[in-house]
Amino acid sequence: MKKTVLAGVAALLAATALTSASALADDIKQGGSMIVTYKDDVSTLDPAIGYDWQNWSMIKSLFDGLMDYEPGTTNLMKDLAEDYTISDDGTVFTFKLREGVKFHNGREMTAEDVKYSLDRVTNPATQSPGAGFFGSIKGYDAVAAGDATSLEGVTVVDPYTVKIELSRPDATFLHVMAINFSSIVPKEAVEEWGADFGKHPVGTGAFSLDEWTLGQRLVFKRNEDYWRAGVPKLDEITFEVGQEPVVALLRLQRGEADIPGDGIPPAKFLEVTKDPQYKDLIIEGGQLHTGYVTMNVKMPPFDKLEVRKAVNMAINKDRVVRIINGRAVPANQPLPPSMPGYDDEYTGYPYDPEAAKALLAEAGFPDGFETELYVYNTDPNPRIAQSIQADLAAIGIKADIKALAQANVIAAGGEPDQAPMIWSGGMAWIADFPDPSNFYGPILGCAGAVKGGWNWSWYCNEELDKQATAADSMTDPAQKAEREEAWRKIFISVMDDAAWAPVFHEQRFTMRSERLGGPDAIFVDPVHIPVNYDYVWAKDVQ
């Protein structure tokens, strides 16, 4: 994400109120509205395309999938699937759909829509950055190669039953069915709008898009026909864009907004967090997160291992962490410490500018070279990029900073020849689901090294891909330790190839307005409010 501040696990691991949400959900009043602010506009609301921390949560409000997570947990639960069965060998999943679920256009959702949605997200013409998640479905390779337009392994049994056959056991498959890319969409709406479907989304979600004024606002209205009784509680959510984070914070303090979607501005972090009047309004969300610098291995001189190792050894990670007021810990590998497969004994590349210079000389660049470092233009990311720029200059690498809107950085990273280096901050990876495979496939695996993908290093190690497939074929719970060890070895091999320069693992802080309730409010990570829309709203939001 990611994944990101991606809505999946970031929202699920967030701090929640001590009061049971399920117990008090009936006490929350129906009605009211809420304002969320963001600096940048949204690039798309198409669930097959959207893959950044901002649109991920919005998409979750508009669409549903077969599976989801229990609010505030990493426990899978059934969503559009009323029930499911798994074959003894773990390769055939049969989902029974809920009857009577309607799309926003009024038509009932059926098993044909499930098949269409999975065929669409894996079709290369869609250019979905999430296509690789579905690689275990039988027939995926043929679709990815353009030799087929439909997944052989997805079969409509009857209007409310769909069978999905895998080419191999996949320990992550139900998690994949819970991510946004698996959202169910209606064929007729996609065909009507074509490439503009992302601006005219139609799903089965708790909210529908009522207005989108580019550069100004998006308005979501309550889906009165939503299949889940009693939710959502709010009648409307307005996302105001073009709001600088410092201005957004001031608006919240004046009661003019409810959630600063970009979080507490770093420049105001200490001031706000040390002020007693905001103690009950600050939310800290745990994240399976890693911020890193990518180096495009297809673009010289980053095709040389010694150069990539030199970059790893040049970055002063402790100084970067100080820039964000200590809201992170330095990273030495892709996985965050709380993720299964993290190697506690691995020390990574030391901060050693002199050794980095020697590696550059060994690679044929004794005087360094010039390059570009892309960065998301919202604070603190430009300042972090400047710190990295200074570190690189100290070993002879002159990096010109390209500070752009998030969507533009993402687009550049998804091209094989545009972004030699990217600081991932603000777009850094947060796991889509709590499994180490999610930190590999989309951002380090061969399946993610495609146009529009999120493997911005364009790193593809086919041997590691095979090892990853073998690890994900370990579906027996008794193989848990063996599977984690397999992933541990994979990620250390990635570091041996220096595909990234991991920098830090960050915590997320933001605020809520007073009208959303005090410490007893029912609340989930505000950065991803729509993800758990049915349990978020406080009793008195009117």
Side-chain angles (χ1 to χ4, degrees):
M1 92 45 58
K2 131 35 44 51
K3 283 203 76 135
T4 152
V5 182
L6 300 177
V9 175
L12 300 172
L13 298 183
T16 58
L18 296 177
T19 310
S20 167
S22 58
L24 291 181
D26 292 339
D27 296 334
I28 306 173
K29 295 178 182 179
Q30 177 66 60
S33 62
M34 185 176 67
I35 295 175
V36 182
T37 62
Y38 286 109
K39 179 179 182 292
D40 291 328
D41 208 342
V42 185
S43 57
T44 181
L45 292 174
D46 184 340
I49 304 298
Y51 203 23
D52 62 60
W53 67 271
Q54 186 173 337
N55 62 28
W56 190 261
S57 56
M58 294 182 183
I59 287 169
K60 195 73 172 178
S61 289
L62 302 173
F63 296 88
D64 297 312
L66 297 179
M67 302 293 294
D68 203 346
Y69 292 93
E70 295 175 5
T73 78
T74 57
N75 301 323
L76 283 161
M77 72 176 188
K78 291 168 283 191
D79 198 28
L80 292 180
E82 186 175 60
D83 203 359
Y84 64 87
T85 59
I86 307 173
S87 64
D88 291 340
D89 65 358
T91 62
V92 180
F93 292 72
T94 303
F95 296 91
K96 180 68 175 177
L97 306 182
R98 299 181 189 276
E99 298 185 22
V101 175
K102 294 181 179 179
F103 288 111
H104 298 148
N105 63 10
R107 180 174 69 77
E108 185 181 18
M109 179 210 66
T110 70
E112 291 285 355
D113 297 303
V114 176
K115 178 168 178 56
Y116 169 76
S117 300
L118 295 179
D119 285 344
R120 175 178 181 254
V121 75
T122 53
N123 190 324
T126 305
Q127 294 189 32
S128 171
F133 283 118
F134 305 91
S136 63
I137 297 179
K138 188 175 181 180
Y140 170 82
D141 290 341
V143 171
D147 297 331
T149 58
S150 180
L151 292 164
E152 178 187 352
V154 182
T155 305
V156 173
V157 178
D158 62 47
Y160 302 107
T161 308
V162 62
K163 181 176 69 174
I164 302 177
E165 183 179 357
L166 308 184
S167 57
R168 54 178 170 80
D170 183 357
T172 71
F173 185 69
L174 287 178
H175 286 292
V176 170
M177 290 295 100
I179 62 177
N180 280 6
F181 295 120
S182 299
S183 299
I184 310 306
V185 300
K187 180 179 180 179
E188 66 274 17
V190 175
E191 291 185 341
E192 176 184 359
W193 294 106
D196 287 333
F197 178 69
K199 293 290 191 293
H200 304 273
V202 177
T204 63
F207 292 89
S208 62
L209 178 65
D210 188 46
E211 174 194 341
W212 188 346
T213 303
L214 293 179
Q216 297 183 39
R217 73 182 63 83
L218 298 89
V219 180
F220 288 6
K221 67 178 180 180
R222 178 176 181 264
N223 178 4
E224 296 183 359
D225 292 325
Y226 191 49
W227 60 270
R228 185 174 283 157
V231 294
K233 296 300 183 182
L234 283 184
D235 287 339
E236 184 178 274
I237 310 173
T238 298
F239 300 92
E240 295 186 356
V241 300
Q243 303 279 323
E244 289 292 337
V246 172
V247 175
L249 176 63
L250 290 173
R251 291 191 62 210
L252 180 142
Q253 293 169 327
R254 292 197 298 258
E256 299 171 359
D258 298 298
I259 298 293
D262 294 305
I264 301 173
K268 294 286 186 178
F269 181 78
L270 293 178
E271 173 188 333
V272 170
T273 55
K274 291 183 180 300
D275 192 326
Q277 71 173 313
Y278 300 127
K279 178 173 66 71
D280 293 331
L281 305 180
I282 295 172
I283 307 297
E284 178 180 356
Q287 299 180 135
L288 292 173
H289 165 282
T290 302
Y292 51 93
V293 174
T294 63
M295 293 164 279
N296 189 326
V297 300
K298 289 183 175 294
M299 297 180 68
F302 298 109
D303 55 342
K304 292 182 177 293
L305 175 60
E306 294 83 1
V307 171
R308 301 195 300 271
K309 286 184 175 181
V311 170
N312 269 275
M313 300 176 76
I315 298 174
N316 186 337
K317 300 172 184 179
D318 290 331
R319 184 173 65 191
V320 173
V321 169
R322 289 196 296 271
I323 289 173
I324 60 171
N325 299 307
R327 292 178 295 156
V329 295
N332 61 26
Q333 58 192 285
L335 288 183
S338 55
M339 179 70 85
Y342 179 83
D343 193 332
D344 292 310
E345 299 181 359
Y346 182 72
T347 57
Y349 295 96
Y351 171 56
D352 191 339
E354 292 305 315
K357 290 180 184 178
L359 283 170
L360 286 184
E362 183 181 339
F365 299 97
D367 300 319
F369 56 87
E370 295 183 1
T371 188
E372 293 177 332
L373 174 61
Y374 282 66
V375 60
Y376 174 33
N377 61 6
T378 295
D379 189 62
N381 295 300
R383 290 190 290 125
I384 292 174
Q386 289 168 3
S387 177
I388 295 171
Q389 180 188 47
D391 290 337
L392 295 177
I395 66 168
I397 299 176
K398 301 175 182 63
D400 181 31
I401 292 178
K402 297 287 188 181
L404 305 172
Q406 184 183 75
N408 294 335
V409 178
I410 292 170
E415 295 291 335
D417 57 358
Q418 286 194 19
M421 302 181 76
I422 299 176
W423 161 243
S424 69
M427 310 163 295
W429 199 252
I430 292 181
D432 301 295
F433 49 83
D435 189 273
S437 65
N438 185 236
F439 259 82
Y440 179 80
I443 50 178
L444 286 164
C446 297
V450 295
K451 291 192 67 171
W454 278 66
N455 183 345
W456 298 337
S457 286
W458 290 82
Y459 171 76
C460 175
N461 185 321
E462 293 182 356
E463 177 55 35
L464 290 186
D465 266 23
K466 292 177 182 177
Q467 294 178 29
T469 298
D472 280 344
S473 296
M474 299 177 188
T475 58
D476 187 338
Q479 296 178 295
K480 180 176 181 294
E482 181 183 355
R483 183 169 181 269
E484 288 184 12
E485 178 59 25
W487 275 114
R488 189 173 294 112
K489 291 179 178 178
I490 288 169
F491 284 106
I492 298 310
S493 294
V494 167
M495 289 308 299
D496 289 342
D497 286 341
W500 279 3
V503 178
F504 60 57
H505 309 293
E506 184 182 11
Q507 290 291 95
R508 184 81 175 172
F509 292 82
T510 193
M511 295 178 67
R512 60 188 180 193
S513 67
E514 288 192 47
R515 78 187 192 103
L516 289 185
D520 63 338
I522 297 171
F523 208 81
V524 180
D525 181 6
V527 179
H528 306 96
I529 276 184
V531 174
N532 290 314
Y533 44 79
D534 45 343
Y535 300 116
V536 165
W537 323 122
K539 303 175 187 177
D540 56 354
V541 177
Q542 293 295 330

